[in-house]
Amino acid sequence: MTETNIIATTPAGDDARADRATFVWVAGFFLAFLIVDILSSMTEVARFRLDVDPAKVAIYEISSVFVILVLYWGIARAVSLATPGQHDWRYVVLVHALAILIFSAVHISAMVAIRKLVFLAVYGYPYIFTDSPAREFIYEFRKDALTYCLIAFFIIFGRQLEQQRRELAAAREDAKRSHRLTLKCGGRSIFVDACDIIWAKSASNYVEVKTAKAQHLARATLASIERQLGDAGANAARVHRSWIVNRDHISRIEPTGEGDVKIEMTDGAVIPGSRRYRDRLPSTE
C-alpha cells in the first residue's frame, strides 16, 4: 500500500466501513422477514376468518423492525467494546449481557411508543401493550436476545470478511512491488519470492505451495495465489482446477490422450494438466 492509504486507513474506520455493508444485508434480511411475516399473517386471517385487522399486524411488525434497525449501531458499538477472541471472555459475556438487557428495554419501549402514536393517529384510540408488563417483557426479551446475538454475529462476520479483503489487497500490492508472495501459515506470515515457487495445489481451504527449499500450507484459495503470482510477474499458469505451475520449472510435458497431459516439474512432481488449460502450456509437438 502507498503511504497515503496507510494514513487513511484505521482499524476503527475499517470496522465502520464493514458495519455499513453489513447493515445493508441485515436490513435486507429483516425486510424480507417483515414481508413474509405480514403476508403469512394475512393468509392466516383469511384462512381461519379471524377478526384481526391486517393493518394492525403491519403496524406491529414494522414498528418492531424499525427500532431494531436503529439499534443496530448500538450493537456494533458493543461488539467493538467486547469482541470475542480479542477480549477476555468474562468481560465479553458481561458487556453483551448488559447490552442485551439495554437493547431489549429500548426496543420494547420504543416500539410501544411508536404503536401508541400510530394508533392515535389512525384509529383515534390508544394502543394497549399488555396488562402484565413482567410477563410480556420476558416474552419479548427471549426474542430480543436471539435477535441481538444474530446481529452481533453478522457484524463480527462482516468485519472478518473486510479484514480478509484488506489483507488480500495488501498482499497483491506487495507482490507488485517486491515480486514476492505473502502466505498466511498458521499465525505466521511467510514471504516467498515468486520465481522460487515451483507449483501450488489446492487442498480444501488451504493451498500447498512448493519451493525448492520448502513446502508451505497457506490459508488461501488457489485463485488468490494465482492473482498474487500474476501481480508478482511470475511465469505461472493454472493447468488444472487444483494446480498452478511455474512454467520456468517445467522439465517435461507428456500427452496422455484426449488433450490432457502429465507435467513433470524440476522437483520431480508429476502434475495433471487439463485440456481446459492446455493453451497455457508450451506445445508438446
Side-chain angles (χ1 to χ4, degrees):
M1 292 190 297
T2 65
E3 184 177 352
T4 301
N5 287 335
I6 293 173
I7 294 173
T9 301
T10 64
D14 293 334
D15 286 347
R17 182 166 52 253
D19 292 346
R20 288 193 293 270
T22 302
F23 177 80
V24 174
W25 288 101
V26 170
F29 172 81
F30 276 101
L31 178 61
F33 173 81
L34 180 65
I35 293 172
V36 170
D37 197 33
I38 292 175
L39 292 177
S40 297
S41 297
M42 293 174 64
T43 300
E44 293 298 315
V45 168
R47 178 183 298 172
F48 298 106
R49 294 182 173 85
L50 302 175
D51 185 20
V52 177
D53 184 356
K56 291 183 179 180
V57 175
I59 293 170
Y60 299 153
E61 300 299 336
I62 292 173
S63 61
S64 177
V65 169
F66 174 77
V67 176
I68 287 173
L69 292 179
V70 172
L71 292 175
Y72 168 90
W73 304 105
I75 300 175
R77 177 59 179 163
V79 170
S80 296
L81 290 174
T83 305
Q86 296 182 12
H87 299 91
D88 181 77
W89 69 267
R90 288 164 294 191
Y91 171 75
V92 170
V93 170
L94 178 62
V95 169
H96 287 290
L98 180 59
I100 289 173
L101 286 171
I102 295 173
F103 170 82
S104 186
V106 175
H107 174 233
I108 295 170
S109 301
M111 76 176 183
V112 169
I114 292 172
R115 292 173 186 178
K116 286 183 178 293
L117 291 173
V118 173
F119 264 61
L120 284 173
V122 176
Y123 298 105
Y125 58 84
Y127 165 75
I128 305 300
F129 179 53
T130 181
D131 56 357
S132 177
R135 181 191 63 197
E136 200 65 29
F137 176 80
I138 294 174
Y139 171 76
E140 294 291 342
F141 178 78
R142 290 179 299 176
K143 296 189 295 181
D144 286 344
L146 180 61
T147 299
Y148 178 99
C149 292
L150 181 64
I151 293 175
F153 170 79
F154 278 131
I155 291 170
I156 294 169
F157 183 67
R159 291 180 181 182
Q160 290 178 340
L161 288 180
E162 175 63 18
Q163 181 180 352
Q164 290 178 4
R165 186 197 66 78
R166 294 195 308 271
E167 290 176 349
L168 288 174
R172 294 192 65 180
E173 286 297 322
D174 184 66
K176 293 176 183 178
R177 184 177 61 254
S178 64
H179 306 293
R180 64 182 185 180
L181 270 66
T182 304
L183 305 178
K184 297 290 184 180
C185 303
R188 301 177 299 159
S189 292
I190 297 176
F191 302 99
V192 180
D193 288 338
C195 61
D196 290 340
I197 293 176
I198 301 174
W199 52 260
K201 175 188 176 184
S202 177
S204 186
N205 294 326
Y206 298 86
V207 175
E208 294 180 29
V209 178
K210 180 68 167 61
T211 70
K213 297 180 179 179
Q215 186 165 326
H216 307 288
L217 187 63
R219 181 80 176 186
T221 64
L222 197 63
S224 68
I225 295 296
E226 184 178 19
R227 286 191 290 268
Q228 281 196 64
L229 284 167
D231 292 330
N235 188 21
R238 176 80 72 95
V239 297
H240 186 275
R241 63 185 178 86
S242 301
W243 291 86
I244 295 172
V245 301
N246 187 333
R247 285 177 287 217
D248 293 337
H249 287 275
I250 295 175
S251 60
R252 184 166 174 245
I253 300 176
E254 180 182 342
T256 61
E258 298 183 357
D260 295 336
V261 296
K262 290 192 300 183
I263 307 166
E264 186 173 334
M265 307 301 294
T266 54
D267 69 333
V270 177
I271 294 171
S274 171
R275 59 182 178 274
R276 176 183 174 187
Y277 303 97
R278 186 66 186 85
D279 59 341
R280 304 183 185 187
L281 290 169
S283 174
T284 56
E285 296 179 358

